[in-house]
Amino acid sequence: MEIEAATVSKGRPREFCVDAALAAALRVFWSKGYEGASMADLTEAMGITKPSLYAAFGNKEALFNKALDLYEREKTDYMRAALDAPTARGVAERLMYGALDMYSCPENPNGCLGVISSVACGAEAECIREAVVARSATAKQAMLERFTRAKDEGDFPDDVDPAGLAAFLTAMNQGMAVQAGAGATRAELERLVETGLKLWPGR
Amino acid sequence: MEIEAATVSKGRPREFCVDAALAAALRVFWSKGYEGASMADLTEAMGITKPSLYAAFGNKEALFNKALDLYEREKTDYMRAALDAPTARGVAERLMYGALDMYSCPENPNGCLGVISSVACGAEAECIREAVVARSATAKQAMLERFTRAKDEGDFPDDVDPAGLAAFLTAMNQGMAVQAGAGATRAELERLVETGLKLWPGR
DNA sequence: CAATTTATATACCACCCGTTATGGAAATCG
DNA sequence: CGATTTCCATAACGGGTGGTATATAAATTG
């Protein structure tokens, strides 16, 4: 039983770059959501034909999961960097401005793949939603742990709840994603972030 | 040229209640989104056949817009009541707890029809998104006017921006909708609301 | 009771969906 | 070179989509 894929290919090598194709697929899912992205959309953007796609990625769901991996890999990076900030306020700043940069970057599709996929999800694609929600939960959990530590360190008053702050930041992030998807400008999102930080406890 | 529909029907009267059918359609759109709701889903929930639906409502898009009217009519009520609160903090309280009640009512589908429809919207249904976004904009505008008045009345410090507060409340509402759609419990949403109110300026 | 007008029910349309079978081209290994 | 293995392109599959034509049933008007 072969576990590893063959390191030396015997037949004709594939003519496209898997990583580039996956990046293209991510953009399509990011723009249209899981169900909104048709195989025709995907193959056209990826520059390959359907049989090639199925041979390389399995099926639509597997392709989405790999695209989601790619998306989260980058996003996780910026979140981890944010959680490494020395103070809770620093964490909030980096998280919100990071989200702002992501959502207002003109090269990115509008909105957040996670929000799009968890909201726009017909019953048939329940497993997609579950996968996305699970990842979102781990992100929230990481925030919670960071803020419990921050509370111990006296970063904010005792009457505010670390779990509440984590939920708050999550909601702000989701709200930004929705407004960005609806066409909000960077200036509008900036004002939202600044207001959120003005309300943030402490300092 | 007849402008008004005939007030006295001549032929066989329809056997179903239009309002009840529309309410059923609203629940389907609310649960599955515009594109996720198929005509089969709709007719089954409404208890009528496709020709009856098309005769009574026109087509899928017209049906959605009427369902959206119905949805907004109720939601607008609670928002207007919220904006009538004497203080800005009262407005925020009523808006957030109103949203909480709406999103955690077990009889309602999860999430917010507006968020679902604006986020989960393939290119073909662009007009749907535009309709939803336009309504959301008017709601935000009403908040903005209320908070500019509140600022003149000294409800919160001068260094906070009324437009920022409106965007903030909108984002909180959207975040609650996303988290509710993802299966958050009422307790979790309550904690989010309480944190939001704890951060609210003044008092 | 006719005649008319409308609602309903069945069936159907062309199209798009995700997925796969088929046939031929191309590159590697012996 | 020959054999083999894999990739690519075309086309088709069954099923679901929004929307509709046709025919029958039912109620109102005269």
Side-chain angles (χ1 to χ4, degrees):
Chain A
M1 178 187 224
E2 290 291 330
I3 301 290
E4 292 289 324
T7 58
V8 178
S9 63
K10 294 205 174 178
R12 171 181 175 181
R14 66 164 54 94
E15 294 178 348
F16 64 93
C17 169
V18 176
D19 290 346
L22 185 59
L26 168 57
R27 289 187 60 85
V28 177
F29 282 128
W30 195 346
S31 301
K32 307 194 165 196
Y34 176 71
E35 307 205 68
S38 72
M39 297 302 291
D41 293 332
L42 291 164
T43 52
E44 183 184 353
M46 299 165 82
I48 63 178
T49 60
K50 284 194 259 188
S52 300
L53 189 157
Y54 276 82
F57 300 100
N59 61 7
K60 188 182 181 182
E61 181 181 341
L63 175 63
F64 178 85
N65 280 110
K66 285 169 185 164
L68 186 59
D69 284 338
L70 175 58
Y71 181 81
E72 288 286 326
R73 209 170 304 140
E74 301 174 359
K75 197 167 126 181
T76 298
D77 274 1
Y78 107 78
M79 277 203 56
R80 172 153 13 200
L83 293 179
D84 285 344
T87 66
R89 168 169 288 273
V91 172
E93 278 175 1
R94 292 192 197 176
L95 279 179
M96 290 184 144
Y97 280 111
L100 172 65
D101 284 342
M102 192 162 198
Y103 297 145
S104 62
C105 172
E107 297 182 6
N108 286 342
N110 286 343
C112 166
L113 178 63
V115 170
I116 291 170
S117 306
S118 80
V119 164
C121 186
E124 68 197 21
E126 189 73 28
C127 50
I128 296 292
R129 197 212 325 256
E130 289 171 4
V132 172
V133 169
R135 304 202 188 209
S136 163
T138 69
K140 208 170 178 178
Q141 178 65 22
M143 276 193 260
L144 172 59
E145 290 170 6
R146 179 65 185 83
F147 288 142
T148 26
R149 202 190 84 192
K151 182 172 183 179
D152 291 346
E153 295 172 348
D155 265 7
F156 45 78
D158 276 0
D159 65 335
V160 299
D161 176 22
L165 284 185
F168 169 77
L169 272 184
T170 305
M172 286 290 285
N173 182 28
Q174 290 160 339
M176 289 177 65
V178 172
Q179 295 184 27
T185 67
R186 176 177 239 272
E188 292 177 283
L189 297 180
E190 262 175 358
R191 191 160 42 194
L192 173 55
V193 168
E194 283 163 11
T195 302
L197 287 173
K198 195 154 283 176
L199 303 188
W200 188 264
R203 175 86 3 226
Chain B
M1 179 187 227
E2 289 291 328
I3 300 291
E4 292 288 324
T7 59
V8 178
S9 60
K10 293 204 177 181
R12 172 181 174 181
R14 63 165 55 95
E15 294 178 350
F16 63 93
C17 169
V18 175
D19 290 346
L22 185 59
L26 168 57
R27 289 188 59 85
V28 177
F29 283 127
W30 195 348
S31 301
K32 308 193 165 195
Y34 176 72
E35 309 205 65
S38 72
M39 297 304 291
D41 293 332
L42 291 164
T43 53
E44 183 185 353
M46 299 165 82
I48 63 178
T49 60
K50 279 196 272 184
S52 300
L53 190 156
Y54 276 83
F57 299 100
N59 61 8
K60 189 182 181 183
E61 182 182 339
L63 175 63
F64 178 86
N65 280 110
K66 285 171 184 164
L68 187 59
D69 284 338
L70 174 59
Y71 181 82
E72 289 285 327
R73 210 170 302 140
E74 302 174 357
K75 198 167 126 182
T76 298
D77 274 2
Y78 107 79
M79 277 202 56
R80 172 154 14 200
L83 294 180
D84 285 343
T87 66
R89 168 169 288 272
V91 173
E93 278 175 0
R94 291 192 197 176
L95 279 179
M96 287 184 148
Y97 279 111
L100 172 65
D101 284 342
M102 191 163 199
Y103 296 145
S104 63
C105 173
E107 297 181 8
N108 285 343
N110 287 342
C112 166
L113 177 63
V115 171
I116 291 170
S117 306
S118 81
V119 164
C121 187
E124 69 197 23
E126 190 73 25
C127 51
I128 296 294
R129 199 213 323 256
E130 289 172 3
V132 172
V133 168
R135 305 201 187 211
S136 163
T138 70
K140 209 171 179 178
Q141 179 65 23
M143 276 194 262
L144 172 58
E145 291 170 6
R146 179 64 185 84
F147 287 143
T148 30
R149 201 189 84 192
K151 183 170 183 178
D152 291 345
E153 296 172 349
D155 265 8
F156 46 78
D158 275 0
D159 65 335
V160 298
D161 175 23
L165 284 185
F168 169 76
L169 272 184
T170 305
M172 286 290 284
N173 182 30
Q174 290 160 339
M176 289 176 66
V178 172
Q179 295 184 27
T185 68
R186 175 176 240 273
E188 293 177 282
L189 296 180
E190 263 174 358
R191 191 159 42 197
L192 173 54
V193 168
E194 285 162 11
T195 302
L197 286 173
K198 194 154 284 174
L199 303 188
W200 189 264
R203 179 75 5 219

